[in-house]
C-alpha cells in the first residue's frame, strides 16, 4: 500500500508540525507532576485531539512523551493535535519500585488522560500557538501495548481492582473514538503464569461494556508469550468481545512493534517494515477521521487501498 494508492490530495501535502515538550501539568496526589508533549499542525483551526498512550517496551525513552514519533508526527501533519503523556510507569522517571501503583500504574495511566482533558486550558496557555484552535468535542484516544490497555479502560473496558475487589469503571465520555494497537486481550486462563502472578489486574479484563467506537490493530505474528498462552489471536479480543461499532485491522506478518510504530529505527522493533508503519499511520488516521466526522470517506478509501493491490499488507473487518 503506497501513498500513490490514495487520492492525490489525501497524504501528499503534510502540514508542518509544531511540537512542544515538556508541558507540565499540575497533578496533586500524583508521584510527580504530569509532563506531556503536544504536537500540532502549524495552521488550521477546529483541530481534533488524539491522546496517545505509550507502551512499556525495552527502551529507556520510548515509554515516555519522547516515543511514537512515526504516529504522532503523521497524525499532527494531517490535522490532529496529539498529546502524549509520560506515565508513571515510564523508565525515564526512575520512580521508587515501591511507589503505589507500581510497576505498571494501570489506574494512574488512565487518570493521566482524564487529567489532560481537564487541563486543556493550561495546555493552550503553555502552547500559545494552539490558543483557540482545539475542537474539544472531537477527542480520540490511542495506545500501543500497555498503552492499549490504558486506552481500552477509557473506552469502557472494565476490571476488578485486585487490591480491594471493586469494579473499576474509568470510561471517559469526552472520548468519542479509539485506536488499540497490539493491546492486551482478556484475562483469566488466557494469561501466562508470569502475567497472572505479576500483573494481576489483567486477570479480570472485561470488554463487554466497551461500547465506544474503536479500531483494533493486531499483528498475526504477535505471540506475546510473556503475557498470554493464546498466541496472536489474544490481541483481537477487544474487537471480538466488545459490543457496538468496531473494526479490526489484522496486519500480515506483523509482530508486537507493528513494523516500528514506537519510534524511528528503534532496536526493540522485531518486525521492522516501513511499509507496514505507513499502513498503520494511514489507516488509523482515516479511521479516526471518519469516526469524528461522520460521512467522511477517508476510512473506506483507506480500506480499499489496503486490499486493492496484489500483495495486501492486511485485512479489515467491521461490526456494528
Amino acid at each position: 500500500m503506497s501513498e500513490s494508492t490514495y487520492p492525490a490530495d489525501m497524504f501528499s501535502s503534510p502540514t508542518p508540525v509544531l511540537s512542544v515538550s515538556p508541558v507540565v501539568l499540575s497533578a496533586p496526589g500524583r508521584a510527580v507532576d504530569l509532563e506531556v508533549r503536544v504536537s500540532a499542525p502549524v495552521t488550521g483551526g477546529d483541530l481534533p485531539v488524539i491522546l496517545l498512550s505509550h507502551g512499556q517496551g525495552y527502551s529507556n525513552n520510548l515509554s515516555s512523551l519522547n516515543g511514537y514519533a512515526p504516529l504522532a508526527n503523521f497524525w499532527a501533519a494531517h490535522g490532529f493535535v496529539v498529546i502524549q503523556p509520560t506515565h508513571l510507569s515510564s523508565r525515564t522517571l526512575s520512580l521508587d519500585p515501591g511507589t503505589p501503583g507500581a510497576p505498571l500504574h494501570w489506574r494512574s495511566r488512565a487518570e493521566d488522560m482524564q487529567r489532560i482533558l481537564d487541563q486543556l486550558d493550561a495546555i493552550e496557555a503553555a502552547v500559545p500557538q494552539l490558543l483557540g484552535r482545539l475542537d474539544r468535542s472531537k477527542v480520540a484516544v490511542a495506545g500501543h501495548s500497555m498503552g492499549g490497555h490504558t486506552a481500552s479502560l477509557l473506552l469502557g473496558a472494565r476490571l476488578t481492582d485486585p487490591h480491594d475487589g471493586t469494579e473499576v469503571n474509568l470510561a471517559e465520555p469526552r472520548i468519542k473514538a479509539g485506536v488499540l494497537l497490539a493491546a492486551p486481550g482478556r484475562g483469566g486462563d488466557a494469561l501466562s503464569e508470569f502475567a497472572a502472578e505479576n500483573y494481576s489486574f489483567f486477570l479480570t479484563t472485561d470488554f463487554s461494556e466497551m461500547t465506544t467506537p474503536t479500531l483494533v490493530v493486531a499483528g498475526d505474528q504477535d505471540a506475546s508469550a510473556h503475557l498470554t498462552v493464546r498466541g496472536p489471536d489474544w490481541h483481537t479480543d477487544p474487537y471480538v468481545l466488545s459490543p457496538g461499532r468496531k473494526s479490526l485491522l489484522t496486519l500480515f506478518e506483523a509482530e508486537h512493534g507493528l513494523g516500528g510504530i514506537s519510534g524511528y529505527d528503534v532496536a526493540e522493533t522485531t518486525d521492522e517494515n516501513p511499509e507496514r508503519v505507513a499502513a498503520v499511520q494511514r489507516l488509523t488516521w482515516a479511521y479516526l477521521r471518519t469516526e469524528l466526522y461522520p460521512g467522511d470517506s477517508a476510512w473506506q478509501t483507506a480500506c480499499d487501498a489496503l486490499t486493492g493491490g496484489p500483495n495486501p499488507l492486511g485485512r479489515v473487518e467491521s461490526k456494528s
Side-chain angles (χ1 to χ4, degrees):
M1 183 173 68
S2 66
E3 203 165 291
S4 61
T5 311
Y6 292 88
D9 61 348
M10 197 169 182
F11 295 117
S12 58
S13 300
T15 301
V17 170
L18 164 76
S19 186
V20 179
S21 72
V23 174
V24 182
L25 303 179
S26 175
R30 195 175 185 266
V32 295
D33 281 341
L34 176 60
E35 295 189 351
V36 305
R37 174 183 295 275
V38 181
S39 302
V42 297
T43 59
D46 294 326
L47 300 172
V49 177
I50 300 175
L51 309 180
L52 175 55
S53 179
H54 64 72
Q56 287 307 111
Y58 301 106
S59 300
N60 290 318
N61 285 285
L62 296 179
S63 60
S64 75
L65 55 75
N66 292 317
Y68 296 87
L71 296 181
N73 291 347
F74 183 88
W75 291 337
H78 293 91
F80 283 89
V81 174
V82 183
I83 305 177
Q84 299 172 254
T86 294
H87 296 303
L88 291 180
S89 58
S90 175
R91 294 186 185 184
T92 63
L93 297 179
S94 300
L95 294 182
D96 187 310
T99 302
L104 294 183
H105 296 275
W106 59 266
R107 184 189 291 269
S108 171
R109 281 170 148 268
E111 291 171 346
D112 286 346
M113 301 311 216
Q114 295 168 328
R115 189 174 279 115
I116 289 169
L117 293 178
D118 291 341
Q119 297 194 52
L120 289 177
D121 285 345
I123 290 173
E124 286 194 16
V127 188
Q129 298 91 337
L130 274 185
L131 195 62
R133 297 176 61 205
L134 301 182
D135 185 345
R136 303 186 187 197
S137 71
K138 292 181 169 57
V139 177
V141 67
H144 175 238
S145 191
M146 183 60 196
H149 182 267
T150 301
S152 72
L153 292 177
L154 293 162
L155 295 166
R158 307 286 176 88
L159 58 78
T160 300
D161 189 319
H163 296 294
D164 61 18
T166 59
E167 183 184 58
V168 176
N169 176 9
L170 293 169
E172 174 50 69
R174 290 172 289 186
I175 293 173
K176 306 305 182 185
V179 173
L180 304 182
L181 301 148
R186 69 175 179 86
D189 60 5
L191 295 187
S192 67
E193 183 177 348
F194 172 84
E197 291 180 357
N198 292 276
Y199 309 133
S200 57
F201 62 90
F202 278 144
L203 281 166
T204 52
T205 300
D206 177 7
F207 298 105
S208 65
E209 301 293 331
M210 196 178 81
T211 57
T212 309
T214 302
L215 171 64
V216 177
V217 183
D220 70 1
Q221 300 299 310
D222 182 7
S224 297
H226 63 300
L227 294 177
T228 182
V229 298
R230 287 259 319 282
D233 284 349
W234 187 58
H235 295 287
T236 70
D237 283 351
Y239 171 79
V240 174
L241 300 177
S242 65
R245 194 165 67 249
K246 302 291 187 298
S247 291
L248 172 65
L249 166 61
T250 302
L251 293 168
F252 303 150
E253 300 181 18
E255 298 176 15
H256 199 61
L258 303 177
I261 63 170
S262 63
Y264 298 114
D265 300 320
V266 299
E268 70 181 42
T269 299
T270 57
D271 65 331
E272 188 168 24
N273 185 314
E275 191 176 15
R276 185 174 298 137
V277 173
V280 175
Q281 291 170 326
R282 287 156 172 75
L283 282 148
T284 54
W285 174 89
Y287 178 83
L288 293 177
R289 179 75 197 177
T290 295
E291 279 299 331
L292 295 177
Y293 299 91
D296 191 299
S297 62
W299 175 238
Q300 187 60 57
T301 302
C303 291
D304 291 345
L306 175 71
T307 58
N311 298 298
L313 294 175
R315 66 175 181 271
V316 173
E317 54 194 283
S318 298
K319 65 180 184 178
S320 57

